[in-house]
Amino acid sequence: MAVLRKEAFDLPEGVIYLDGNSLGPLPRGATARAMSVLQKDWGQDLIRAWNTADWMALPAHVGDRIAPLIGAPPGSVAVGDTLSVKVFQALAAALQLRPERRVILSDTGNFPSDLYVADGLVSLLDRGYTVRTTPPEAVAPAITEEVAAVLLTHVDYRTGRLHDMAAITLRAEAAGAAMIWDLAHSTGALPIDLGSAAFAVGCSYKYLNGGPGAPAFLYIRPDLSERITPALQGWLGHAAPFEMTRAYRPAPGVARMRIGTPPVIQLAILDAALDLWDSVDLDALRRASITLSELFIAEVEARCPTLRLASPRDPAARGSQVSFAHPEGYAMVQACIAAGVIGDFRAPDLMRFGFAPLYLDADDVRRAAAILGDVIEREAWRRPEYQTRAKVT
Ligand SMILES: *Cc1c(COP(=O)(O)O)cnc(C)c1O
């Protein structure tokens, strides 16, 4: 089944977009939806829109639309806040499930924010917790019976390396540790089977195309949610927020992980972006993504012998992005962007390219590789304007 839906996106003319792993492009349906929320719901209905447009139900509605994309049942996904906040909530909850243990295990390839949040929680709790990190390939044997929670990002943001979710989740289960998967670079990129994992978190502005600042999500395995007392007890995670009682009483199930007022405009945009996903077969998407990334690697290696593939060569061990290393990678990416191929750069030397089969085809990939080859062959990256680093790389 073809997964290409180029016409559903509002991409600028002449741009080949290989950065949907960082910020997905604008789905056409999102603009009309956003305008309607602004002008009709907010503009005309004002505060009445919480009821007339059912704004309060949006987080649960959107959570139920994300659920099938991560292999989760309806009613198990809460939506709101940013991924960093959701990591904090999931980790705090995971520690409650194993109160006698003191080790949080992660890997050295994890995204900095996840590790910063874990460090911050550990110092806040001040109860002798430690955050232990191992190299990604050594995670499974490090899941011992000291470990309370395992916090891992499924697809490495730098190299695209994919953890063996099934094997690691089983190992965590056997050791009695609570497994938390960060699906930031997996959701909308490949089929996901969470197995017995206790928690999963992710964001919606990458492959789901929910727009900059789109809300994050948090999954709790349904049989565990009633055991969790949220660390962030906000009024909208209360069982009856409008009773305004003094005592906090958690909402049933995963809804207790809601905190405060939902970001209505962002949620509406995300809801529109999710329309596209209703008809996407994730297995077909994964096959298309592998075809594109294999083609890109072959074309780039044929043209650019000075670049080193920094991603796993085996497509089964890779997410939906490919990284090449070069000391001048930053300037090379800038020169590619000027020539219409948008990728990005991660310190110290990685050029990252994401492959989203919803709006990329083999022609795009061949042209992108040709442009990168040209930038390197003609040394276009040497121009001074490509050398100065912008605030966001
Ligand atoms: C993108 C990403 C984040 C970003 O967190 P925000 O709070 O949404 O800024 C966090 N963790 C991982 C693994 C990511 O890939």
Side-chain angles (χ1 to χ4, degrees), residues 7-295:
E7 68 299 336
F9 291 91
D10 223 346
L11 279 160
E13 200 66 45
V15 163
I16 302 174
Y17 195 59
L18 305 184
D19 216 357
N21 52 308
S22 204
L23 174 68
L26 172 64
R28 285 193 193 277
T31 306
R33 181 70 186 273
M35 290 313 285
S36 157
V37 174
L38 291 173
Q39 295 175 331
K40 182 177 159 295
D41 300 346
W42 181 22
Q44 298 303 310
D45 283 8
L46 297 160
I47 198 165
R48 292 169 291 188
W50 286 107
N51 290 311
T52 57
D54 212 2
W55 280 347
M56 209 46 102
L58 259 179
H61 168 72
V62 168
D64 281 345
R65 299 190 76 186
I66 292 174
L69 300 173
I70 63 166
S76 64
V77 176
V79 174
D81 320 293
T82 76
L83 177 49
S84 303
V85 175
K86 288 318 191 206
V87 169
F88 181 91
Q89 289 181 288
L91 193 52
L95 298 181
Q96 291 173 17
L97 296 176
R98 280 282 153 207
E100 72 292 356
R101 299 188 183 186
R102 285 293 175 272
V103 175
I104 296 165
L105 182 72
S106 189
D107 72 48
T108 52
N110 206 347
F111 190 79
S113 199
D114 296 41
L115 298 175
Y116 300 156
V117 163
D119 288 342
L121 177 62
V122 161
S123 33
L124 176 69
L125 290 173
D126 195 19
R127 273 192 249 143
Y129 284 103
T130 49
V131 180
R132 186 179 290 169
T133 54
T134 67
E137 57 286 358
V139 161
I143 307 175
T144 61
E145 296 194 351
E146 287 175 287
V147 175
V150 185
L151 171 64
L152 294 176
T153 298
H154 185 206
V155 177
D156 187 297
Y157 75 105
R158 277 183 290 220
T159 63
R161 179 212 24 79
L162 186 64
H163 268 306
D164 184 341
M165 181 177 274
I168 292 175
T169 303
L170 278 178
R171 173 85 190 197
E173 187 179 11
M179 185 70 228
I180 307 168
W181 283 109
D182 187 328
L183 306 174
H185 290 275
S186 323
T187 316
L190 65 167
I192 294 162
D193 181 355
L194 290 168
S196 65
F199 303 91
V201 292
C203 55
S204 64
Y205 49 79
K206 291 171 179 159
Y207 293 99
L208 294 187
N209 315 309
F217 64 84
L218 189 163
Y219 156 86
I220 308 181
R221 207 179 75 203
D223 61 300
L224 297 175
S225 48
E226 298 299 323
R227 289 169 57 190
I228 284 153
T229 305
L232 298 174
Q233 304 186 345
W235 73 303
L236 290 184
H238 192 284
F242 287 92
E243 284 175 14
M244 308 281 175
T245 53
R246 172 65 191 88
Y248 177 79
R249 196 155 41 84
V254 78
R256 67 190 59 198
M257 296 312 230
R258 285 178 65 173
I259 304 171
T261 303
V264 170
I265 299 162
Q266 288 281 188
L267 275 164
I269 292 172
L270 173 57
D271 192 30
L274 288 167
D275 287 347
L276 271 174
W277 289 95
D278 288 342
S279 57
V280 174
D281 172 347
L282 291 173
D283 292 310
L285 180 91
R286 173 70 170 154
R287 284 194 298 275
S289 135
I290 288 176
T291 303
L292 296 177
S293 62
E294 289 287 273
L295 175 64

